[in-house]
Amino acid sequence: VGTTLRTLHGIGEAMPHVTLRDRSPVTRIERGGDRWSVTAGEHTYGADKLVVAPGPFVDPVLAHFGLRLDRTLWSMVNVWFPIRHEPAQGPVWVNLRSPGPSEDPGLYYGFPEVPFDRAGYARVGGNFPSPVLDDIRAYDKNADPAVVRRIAGWVKEHMPGLDPEPAFASTCVAAQLIRPGDPYALRREFLLDH
């Protein structure tokens, strides 16, 4: 995530019509006529369009506008495993096999070793919630040990190039639309500048 954010920040800095301000908390957003006014830090900015992209923190942000998005929050677990032998390099992959007779959903994804983050390890994640959250304030950054064991078991069975003993574990949160197939998921009331 850190590398992605640094990359996106660098792209933004290179764009001629983009101004980035770090550590400038937004204290006010107002609509006046056809323009938005955003106060952040010591400055007020004006714009014709306003994009609000809070990711899993969508509820507290949209609450300021009196809105709520029909969504669910997934807490997801990622685990790093030592690489035993090649092939250490490879593409990002997703396993979408049907679940077996156990409670294992059979949905996993992974990333190869990268030299800039935990060299010597590959990352494998469960592509299922652990748990589903109703409120972002319930998010626990500690990985569920049962899910870590489940991922390690899958790695032991399916990835002989990795040591199945987990080295590191982390969590992340993804905001999922409840009706992802609904073409009207972003209804007019969520498009504040229509």
PDB file of all heavy atoms in Angstrom, residues 80-93:
ATOM      1  N   TRP A  80       2.417 -13.320   4.893  1.00  0.00           N
ATOM      2  CA  TRP A  80       3.668 -13.453   4.149  1.00  0.00           C
ATOM      3  C   TRP A  80       4.323 -14.774   4.518  1.00  0.00           C
ATOM      4  O   TRP A  80       4.420 -15.124   5.694  1.00  0.00           O
ATOM      5  CB  TRP A  80       4.616 -12.305   4.475  1.00  0.00           C
ATOM      6  CG  TRP A  80       4.279 -11.041   3.780  1.00  0.00           C
ATOM      7  CD1 TRP A  80       4.887 -10.534   2.672  1.00  0.00           C
ATOM      8  CD2 TRP A  80       3.261 -10.089   4.133  1.00  0.00           C
ATOM      9  NE1 TRP A  80       4.311  -9.330   2.312  1.00  0.00           N
ATOM     10  CE2 TRP A  80       3.311  -9.041   3.197  1.00  0.00           C
ATOM     11  CE3 TRP A  80       2.307 -10.029   5.150  1.00  0.00           C
ATOM     12  CZ2 TRP A  80       2.458  -7.957   3.241  1.00  0.00           C
ATOM     13  CZ3 TRP A  80       1.456  -8.951   5.196  1.00  0.00           C
ATOM     14  CH2 TRP A  80       1.534  -7.922   4.251  1.00  0.00           C
ATOM     15  N   PHE A  81       4.786 -15.493   3.479  1.00  0.00           N
ATOM     16  CA  PHE A  81       5.434 -16.785   3.658  1.00  0.00           C
ATOM     17  C   PHE A  81       6.838 -16.739   3.050  1.00  0.00           C
ATOM     18  O   PHE A  81       7.018 -16.199   1.948  1.00  0.00           O
ATOM     19  CB  PHE A  81       4.627 -17.887   2.961  1.00  0.00           C
ATOM     20  CG  PHE A  81       3.267 -18.088   3.564  1.00  0.00           C
ATOM     21  CD1 PHE A  81       2.173 -17.401   3.066  1.00  0.00           C
ATOM     22  CD2 PHE A  81       3.081 -18.961   4.624  1.00  0.00           C
ATOM     23  CE1 PHE A  81       0.905 -17.569   3.620  1.00  0.00           C
ATOM     24  CE2 PHE A  81       1.823 -19.137   5.186  1.00  0.00           C
ATOM     25  CZ  PHE A  81       0.741 -18.440   4.684  1.00  0.00           C
ATOM     26  N   PRO A  82       7.838 -17.336   3.744  1.00  0.00           N
ATOM     27  CA  PRO A  82       9.186 -17.393   3.167  1.00  0.00           C
ATOM     28  C   PRO A  82       9.185 -18.213   1.876  1.00  0.00           C
ATOM     29  O   PRO A  82       8.503 -19.240   1.784  1.00  0.00           O
ATOM     30  CB  PRO A  82      10.015 -18.095   4.246  1.00  0.00           C
ATOM     31  CG  PRO A  82       9.229 -17.929   5.513  1.00  0.00           C
ATOM     32  CD  PRO A  82       7.785 -17.901   5.092  1.00  0.00           C
ATOM     33  N   ILE A  83       9.938 -17.741   0.912  1.00  0.00           N
ATOM     34  CA  ILE A  83      10.065 -18.456  -0.358  1.00  0.00           C
ATOM     35  C   ILE A  83      11.157 -19.514  -0.183  1.00  0.00           C
ATOM     36  O   ILE A  83      12.279 -19.204   0.210  1.00  0.00           O
ATOM     37  CB  ILE A  83      10.407 -17.488  -1.502  1.00  0.00           C
ATOM     38  CG1 ILE A  83       9.252 -16.496  -1.683  1.00  0.00           C
ATOM     39  CG2 ILE A  83      10.702 -18.239  -2.791  1.00  0.00           C
ATOM     40  CD1 ILE A  83       9.549 -15.360  -2.622  1.00  0.00           C
ATOM     41  N   ARG A  84      10.809 -20.786  -0.441  1.00  0.00           N
ATOM     42  CA  ARG A  84      11.772 -21.891  -0.318  1.00  0.00           C
ATOM     43  C   ARG A  84      12.631 -22.015  -1.565  1.00  0.00           C
ATOM     44  O   ARG A  84      13.816 -22.238  -1.483  1.00  0.00           O
ATOM     45  CB  ARG A  84      11.029 -23.212  -0.116  1.00  0.00           C
ATOM     46  CG  ARG A  84      10.470 -23.406   1.242  1.00  0.00           C
ATOM     47  CD  ARG A  84      10.130 -24.867   1.400  1.00  0.00           C
ATOM     48  NE  ARG A  84       8.752 -24.994   1.831  1.00  0.00           N
ATOM     49  CZ  ARG A  84       8.207 -26.117   2.180  1.00  0.00           C
ATOM     50  NH1 ARG A  84       8.888 -27.244   2.133  1.00  0.00           N
ATOM     51  NH2 ARG A  84       6.958 -26.165   2.574  1.00  0.00           N
ATOM     52  N   HIS A  85      11.997 -21.986  -2.702  1.00  0.00           N
ATOM     53  CA  HIS A  85      12.724 -22.143  -3.958  1.00  0.00           C
ATOM     54  C   HIS A  85      11.941 -21.474  -5.074  1.00  0.00           C
ATOM     55  O   HIS A  85      10.768 -21.166  -4.945  1.00  0.00           O
ATOM     56  CB  HIS A  85      12.983 -23.623  -4.284  1.00  0.00           C
ATOM     57  CG  HIS A  85      11.737 -24.466  -4.337  1.00  0.00           C
ATOM     58  ND1 HIS A  85      10.874 -24.471  -5.407  1.00  0.00           N
ATOM     59  CD2 HIS A  85      11.213 -25.328  -3.428  1.00  0.00           C
ATOM     60  CE1 HIS A  85       9.868 -25.300  -5.163  1.00  0.00           C
ATOM     61  NE2 HIS A  85      10.051 -25.830  -3.965  1.00  0.00           N
ATOM     62  N   GLU A  86      12.622 -21.265  -6.175  1.00  0.00           N
ATOM     63  CA  GLU A  86      11.999 -20.632  -7.333  1.00  0.00           C
ATOM     64  C   GLU A  86      10.849 -21.492  -7.839  1.00  0.00           C
ATOM     65  O   GLU A  86      10.844 -22.692  -7.607  1.00  0.00           O
ATOM     66  CB  GLU A  86      13.038 -20.414  -8.431  1.00  0.00           C
ATOM     67  CG  GLU A  86      14.151 -19.454  -8.017  1.00  0.00           C
ATOM     68  CD  GLU A  86      13.669 -18.051  -7.737  1.00  0.00           C
ATOM     69  OE1 GLU A  86      12.657 -17.626  -8.332  1.00  0.00           O
ATOM     70  OE2 GLU A  86      14.272 -17.378  -6.912  1.00  0.00           O
ATOM     71  N   PRO A  87       9.858 -20.986  -8.528  1.00  0.00           N
ATOM     72  CA  PRO A  87       9.881 -19.622  -9.043  1.00  0.00           C
ATOM     73  C   PRO A  87       9.418 -18.616  -7.993  1.00  0.00           C
ATOM     74  O   PRO A  87       8.314 -18.687  -7.495  1.00  0.00           O
ATOM     75  CB  PRO A  87       8.904 -19.664 -10.208  1.00  0.00           C
ATOM     76  CG  PRO A  87       7.937 -20.743  -9.840  1.00  0.00           C
ATOM     77  CD  PRO A  87       8.713 -21.731  -9.016  1.00  0.00           C
ATOM     78  N   ALA A  88      10.332 -17.710  -7.668  1.00  0.00           N
ATOM     79  CA  ALA A  88      10.005 -16.649  -6.720  1.00  0.00           C
ATOM     80  C   ALA A  88       9.279 -15.511  -7.411  1.00  0.00           C
ATOM     81  O   ALA A  88       8.516 -14.803  -6.790  1.00  0.00           O
ATOM     82  CB  ALA A  88      11.275 -16.124  -6.060  1.00  0.00           C
ATOM     83  N   GLN A  89       9.562 -15.320  -8.693  1.00  0.00           N
ATOM     84  CA  GLN A  89       8.890 -14.266  -9.440  1.00  0.00           C
ATOM     85  C   GLN A  89       7.668 -14.847 -10.128  1.00  0.00           C
ATOM     86  O   GLN A  89       7.640 -16.000 -10.490  1.00  0.00           O
ATOM     87  CB  GLN A  89       9.826 -13.668 -10.489  1.00  0.00           C
ATOM     88  CG  GLN A  89      11.025 -12.972  -9.880  1.00  0.00           C
ATOM     89  CD  GLN A  89      10.623 -11.805  -9.011  1.00  0.00           C
ATOM     90  OE1 GLN A  89       9.711 -11.065  -9.345  1.00  0.00           O
ATOM     91  NE2 GLN A  89      11.287 -11.636  -7.890  1.00  0.00           N
ATOM     92  N   GLY A  90       6.689 -14.040 -10.313  1.00  0.00           N
ATOM     93  CA  GLY A  90       5.493 -14.497 -10.997  1.00  0.00           C
ATOM     94  C   GLY A  90       4.455 -13.408 -10.974  1.00  0.00           C
ATOM     95  O   GLY A  90       4.636 -12.387 -10.333  1.00  0.00           O
ATOM     96  N   PRO A  91       3.364 -13.638 -11.631  1.00  0.00           N
ATOM     97  CA  PRO A  91       2.328 -12.608 -11.666  1.00  0.00           C
ATOM     98  C   PRO A  91       1.498 -12.619 -10.387  1.00  0.00           C
ATOM     99  O   PRO A  91       1.566 -13.541  -9.572  1.00  0.00           O
ATOM    100  CB  PRO A  91       1.472 -13.057 -12.855  1.00  0.00           C
ATOM    101  CG  PRO A  91       1.616 -14.550 -12.848  1.00  0.00           C
ATOM    102  CD  PRO A  91       3.041 -14.817 -12.412  1.00  0.00           C
ATOM    103  N   VAL A  92       0.723 -11.586 -10.236  1.00  0.00           N
ATOM    104  CA  VAL A  92      -0.318 -11.596  -9.218  1.00  0.00           C
ATOM    105  C   VAL A  92      -1.313 -12.661  -9.644  1.00  0.00           C
ATOM    106  O   VAL A  92      -1.594 -12.821 -10.827  1.00  0.00           O
ATOM    107  CB  VAL A  92      -1.006 -10.210  -9.137  1.00  0.00           C
ATOM    108  CG1 VAL A  92      -2.190 -10.241  -8.204  1.00  0.00           C
ATOM    109  CG2 VAL A  92       0.003  -9.148  -8.727  1.00  0.00           C
ATOM    110  N   TRP A  93      -1.851 -13.428  -8.733  1.00  0.00           N
ATOM    111  CA  TRP A  93      -2.743 -14.532  -9.091  1.00  0.00           C
ATOM    112  C   TRP A  93      -3.969 -14.540  -8.180  1.00  0.00           C
ATOM    113  O   TRP A  93      -3.960 -13.994  -7.076  1.00  0.00           O
ATOM    114  CB  TRP A  93      -2.010 -15.868  -8.996  1.00  0.00           C
ATOM    115  CG  TRP A  93      -1.397 -16.096  -7.644  1.00  0.00           C
ATOM    116  CD1 TRP A  93      -0.140 -15.750  -7.242  1.00  0.00           C
ATOM    117  CD2 TRP A  93      -2.040 -16.655  -6.501  1.00  0.00           C
ATOM    118  NE1 TRP A  93       0.036 -16.059  -5.926  1.00  0.00           N
ATOM    119  CE2 TRP A  93      -1.116 -16.629  -5.445  1.00  0.00           C
ATOM    120  CE3 TRP A  93      -3.302 -17.174  -6.262  1.00  0.00           C
ATOM    121  CZ2 TRP A  93      -1.419 -17.096  -4.173  1.00  0.00           C
ATOM    122  CZ3 TRP A  93      -3.594 -17.647  -4.996  1.00  0.00           C
ATOM    123  CH2 TRP A  93      -2.657 -17.609  -3.975  1.00  0.00           C
TER     124      TRP A  93
END
